[in-house]
Amino acid sequence: MASHRKLRAAAVVCAAVAVAGPASAAAWAAPPAAVRAAVQETAPLLPVPAPSPSPDPFADLTPDEIVDRAVTATQSATSLRMAGRVVSEGQRLDIDFAVNERDECTGLMKIDGGTAELRRVDDFTYMKGDEAFWRVSMASQGMSKPQIDATIELVKGRWLKIAPGQAGSSDLSGVCDLKGLLDSLDEDKAEPGTLVRGPDGEVDGTPVATLVKKETGTETTEPETTAPGTTEPETAKPETTTVSVSQEGKPYILKMVKTGGEEPGSMTLSDFDKPVDVVVPPASETVDLSKLGGTSA
């Protein structure tokens, strides 16, 4: 069914944005050996009185080494909550999900004024959208108003139950794949030295080290007149990515922000290692995807 292709696309965006989109911390990760070397170099060679603890746990580390510690710590989490917004292809997407290492999750997504709740447990995905969400999803796929009205009558106030193998199941499950989300932090590593440390700040009351990377992208612009066979010129489209790393306890990544570029947005990570309680909707409030013409993914 056409609306499920839209949901699939939204879910893929969720999975990509959660870590890699708003601020790809992985792009600045340094080899773990660099962190170990830094620690060894700062260890005292002689038994001298220990200095007073530094208020900055990263005082002797480079920005690349700080991010390496942050990526390692964040990847060790057994659960977390991710909440934020990204703009992709002119469409605003808000998400707020709690995810654990068993690929269970519960949370919300909002698209163009419509809201849907998503739950995943025991390999089944449940989605419940309001009328605005379903109308936006189905209309964007070219469904006629009578088709949309008929489908909404079937799902109104009910949970859409998607079994493994059904359309959209694999992509929607990606939103709840904690390991996959965190593993992406190690992808697309950039050259060391391109990251700088900005002023320290706070995220929800927790002091953080702020790491910033600025880069110039390119986009193709169409001139007023283009001769046949002429390559359209490219203009720079700068973007800035910022990662905030906790200075208290484990150096978790607490916030990621991207301004400029193709997909600006921000994402906040919290509730590390806290239980994620996913409630299975009652059967009386669900409708199986197969009743809406769903097919195998």
Side-chain angles (χ1 to χ4, degrees):
M1 161 175 160
S3 64
H4 303 317
R5 291 198 297 273
K6 180 64 177 180
L7 297 180
R8 185 179 337 190
V12 171
V13 171
C14 289
V17 166
V19 175
S24 183
W28 315 306
V35 177
R36 292 195 295 270
V39 174
Q40 292 169 355
E41 289 175 3
T42 57
L45 300 177
L46 298 174
V48 295
S52 300
S54 170
D56 179 5
F58 309 126
D60 299 318
L61 300 179
T62 68
D64 297 282
E65 291 167 345
I66 296 172
V67 170
D68 180 76
R69 285 192 172 187
V71 169
T72 299
T74 306
Q75 287 180 330
S76 73
T78 59
S79 65
L80 57 80
R81 178 184 177 186
M82 51 187 180
R85 170 182 294 176
V86 67
V87 178
S88 179
E89 297 182 354
Q91 185 176 58
R92 187 178 68 191
L93 174 67
D94 295 276
I95 66 168
D96 188 347
F97 285 101
V99 191
N100 67 22
E101 61 184 350
R102 296 189 299 276
D103 296 344
E104 298 173 337
C105 74
T106 180
L108 298 173
M109 67 169 69
K110 297 182 180 181
I111 304 174
D112 289 346
T115 302
E117 185 174 355
L118 180 71
R119 298 179 189 177
R120 181 174 172 82
V121 62
D122 297 331
D123 294 328
F124 284 86
T125 302
Y126 302 85
M127 176 169 282
K128 182 179 182 181
D130 60 18
E131 184 170 338
F133 177 85
W134 292 120
R135 287 194 180 280
V136 168
S137 299
M138 292 183 280
S140 67
Q141 296 302 311
M143 292 181 66
S144 66
K145 187 176 184 302
Q147 288 177 312
I148 294 175
D149 291 341
T151 303
I152 286 178
E153 283 302 311
L154 290 175
V155 299
K156 183 184 298 183
R158 305 175 74 183
W159 291 86
L160 188 62
K161 181 179 181 181
I162 307 172
Q166 288 184 314
S169 174
S170 58
D171 288 321
L172 285 170
S173 65
V175 181
C176 306
D177 180 5
L178 179 63
K179 184 178 185 301
L181 294 174
L182 297 181
D183 282 351
S184 67
L185 286 171
D186 273 331
E187 298 174 357
D188 303 323
K189 292 182 180 178
E191 293 183 5
T194 58
L195 189 65
V196 298
R197 183 166 177 177
D200 290 350
E202 287 189 356
V203 174
D204 295 332
T206 300
V208 295
T210 302
L211 308 168
V212 183
K213 180 182 179 182
K214 295 183 179 181
E215 58 185 342
T216 301
T218 58
E219 64 173 345
T220 301
T221 58
E222 185 176 353
E224 293 182 3
T225 58
T226 303
T230 301
T231 302
E232 295 178 346
E234 291 185 339
T235 58
K237 190 167 186 179
E239 63 184 39
T240 300
T241 49
T242 305
V243 178
S244 298
V245 180
S246 176
Q247 292 180 310
E248 292 183 349
K250 290 186 178 181
Y252 289 127
I253 296 172
L254 299 186
K255 190 171 185 178
M256 303 173 288
V257 178
K258 180 177 178 181
T259 58
E262 297 295 330
E263 295 185 343
S266 67
M267 194 67 53
T268 300
L269 305 182
S270 62
D271 293 350
F272 294 94
D273 303 317
K274 292 185 177 181
V276 176
D277 184 21
V278 184
V279 178
V280 177
S284 60
E285 297 178 12
T286 66
V287 57
D288 196 282
L289 174 62
S290 60
K291 295 182 179 180
L292 301 180
T295 58
S296 297

